[in-house]
Amino acid sequence: GKHSNHYMARPDRYSYNCFINAFSKWEGNSSEKVETILEKMNAFAEDAASSDNVIDRDYEPLIRPDAFTYNSLMNYYATRKNDHLSAQRAEDLLLRMSELSQQGGKVQMESTSFNIVLKAWSNSGGGIHGAQRAESVLRMMIKLYSQGHGNVRPDAVSFSTVISSYSKVDPEDASIAVEKVMEILDEMEGSYFPVSDSNVNSCYNAAANVIVKTGSKDAVDRVKELMSRMKNMDAVPDGKMITSFIEAYASEGSDESFRRGKEQLLEMMDEQELELDSVPFNIFLDSILKGDSTKKMEQAEELMAAMDKVRGNARPDLKSYSMILSALSRSSAKGAEQKAAGYLRNMLKSYSDGYQNAKPDSFVFNCVISMLARSKQGEWADD
């Protein structure tokens, strides 16, 4: 009776694992608390294992930390942003798992364990150093897999996490980052990656993001190359890839890049396997309006007209109309008020026809009303 009730009341490994996971969702520094939990679990397990009481000994496998415990603890450190010491602690725990796995028992490393540490280094804020540390963990993973440890096979999460970490480097390291990313993709395609992985797009999307965010001079050609490589892996470029592709054109900032970028977007809309929304169009529109071209209003209006002709969710939405109306409100060009009123009419018609993404808000109404109120053409305000 007494011993049995005491045994039943004890927290088990699942209880402590949940406790560690809860700390991962808190922003404060709880490293001492989560480390104490691990120490307690190990201490309870050792005491139970050496007990003369059979009920206590039965408690040992219920409280002994397992792979999920270590993964939870590493995930706590991986969620600490811009902290290289937390990333280092996560990697130390991975190495401890490696030692325990060689001893047998419940602590066995798998791909998830490595991916958590990759996330830790990607979140570390360490720039090129953090990215290189993530890559070194990936290479450790690759080596173990090549030696026959099938449970640590790198997957799409592994490669995309490391690739993404290179998007967070300082400008002076940008060229190194892009070359590193292309090397990692080469390796991924060569040997270690299951083509059937449904998340293969995430790796190429991450690479395109690095190319664009680091300001690569030949960004358009590089992203275009990625799209070709995707098709070789039986993957179809998705909205994120198209967005990066258009961002690459937008970053060039020339009138010619606007022309080619718009042509590419419209050509892609004709490809049946691509389901595009307004995001790449809006990114392009935003870049045009923030650019220095003397033709930027003309180009923005051209793009809006092109969007009006496309299908589905690629049509102008609230964000599209807000950007063009805001730009017109700052313009001193003749007829800006009439154009603004025309865009508002188009927006209202689109919404009344059932396109929910074109639902106007107070900003667009206030913007047009303000423009018409400033206009000397009173009849426009009466409209």
Side-chain angles (χ1 to χ4, degrees), residues 15 49 54 95 149 206 275 295 314 323 351 374:
S15 309
V54 66
L95 295 176
H149 300 277
E275 288 293 334
K295 299 179 180 178
M323 285 191 287
Y351 177 60
R374 295 198 306 264

Side-chain angles (χ1 to χ4, degrees), residues 5 44 55 146 167 170 179 195 258 300 303 347 356 358 362 371:
N5 288 336
F44 289 155
I55 294 178
S146 67
S167 69
D170 293 329
E179 294 309 318
V195 176
F258 160 74
L303 187 58
M347 189 178 190
Q356 294 296 313
S362 59
M371 292 180 69

Side-chain angles (χ1 to χ4, degrees), residues 268-272 274-282 304 306-318 320-321 350-351 353-358:
M268 289 172 185
M269 289 303 302
D270 292 331
E271 296 183 27
Q272 294 300 316
L274 290 179
E275 288 293 334
L276 293 184
D277 56 20
S278 60
V279 173
F281 286 94
N282 286 339
M304 287 290 290
M307 291 176 73
D308 266 327
K309 296 176 182 178
V310 299
R311 64 182 186 270
N313 291 332
R315 290 172 288 171
D317 57 10
L318 175 59
S320 317
Y321 284 111
S350 184
Y351 177 60
D353 288 343
Y355 184 43
Q356 294 296 313
N357 293 347

Side-chain angles (χ1 to χ4, degrees), residues 98-110:
S98 176
E99 294 172 1
L100 292 171
S101 67
Q102 293 173 27
Q103 299 171 13
K106 292 186 176 181
V107 180
Q108 296 293 320
M109 292 189 303
E110 55 184 17

Side-chain angles (χ1 to χ4, degrees), residues 3 6-7 10 13 44-64 106:
H3 288 294
H6 175 65
Y7 165 70
R10 296 190 223 185
R13 179 172 54 247
F44 289 155
E46 292 303 321
D47 288 346
S50 60
S51 174
D52 294 332
N53 187 309
V54 66
I55 294 178
D56 285 339
R57 290 198 299 274
D58 287 343
Y59 181 56
E60 186 270 336
L62 300 178
I63 190 62
R64 176 80 66 183
K106 292 186 176 181

Side-chain angles (χ1 to χ4, degrees), residues 283-350:
I283 286 175
F284 205 21
L285 181 63
D286 182 58
S287 177
I288 291 167
L289 292 171
K290 289 179 179 176
D292 298 324
S293 173
T294 56
K295 299 179 180 178
K296 65 182 181 182
M297 284 307 304
E298 178 186 336
Q299 292 171 347
E301 290 166 23
E302 279 183 38
L303 187 58
M304 287 290 290
M307 291 176 73
D308 266 327
K309 296 176 182 178
V310 299
R311 64 182 186 270
N313 291 332
R315 290 172 288 171
D317 57 10
L318 175 59
K319 187 170 184 179
S320 317
Y321 284 111
S322 296
M323 285 191 287
I324 194 71
L325 289 172
S326 178
L328 284 169
S329 71
R330 299 189 301 271
S331 172
S332 58
K334 184 178 179 180
E337 298 87 359
Q338 294 93 322
K339 289 179 179 178
Y343 280 122
L344 180 57
R345 288 195 191 96
N346 291 345
M347 189 178 190
L348 289 168
K349 184 179 185 306
S350 184

Side-chain angles (χ1 to χ4, degrees), residues 112-133:
T112 300
S113 309
F114 279 88
N115 288 345
I116 292 170
V117 177
L118 294 177
K119 181 175 75 170
W121 281 116
S122 183
N123 288 340
S124 69
I128 192 73
H129 173 71
Q132 288 172 337
R133 289 297 297 269

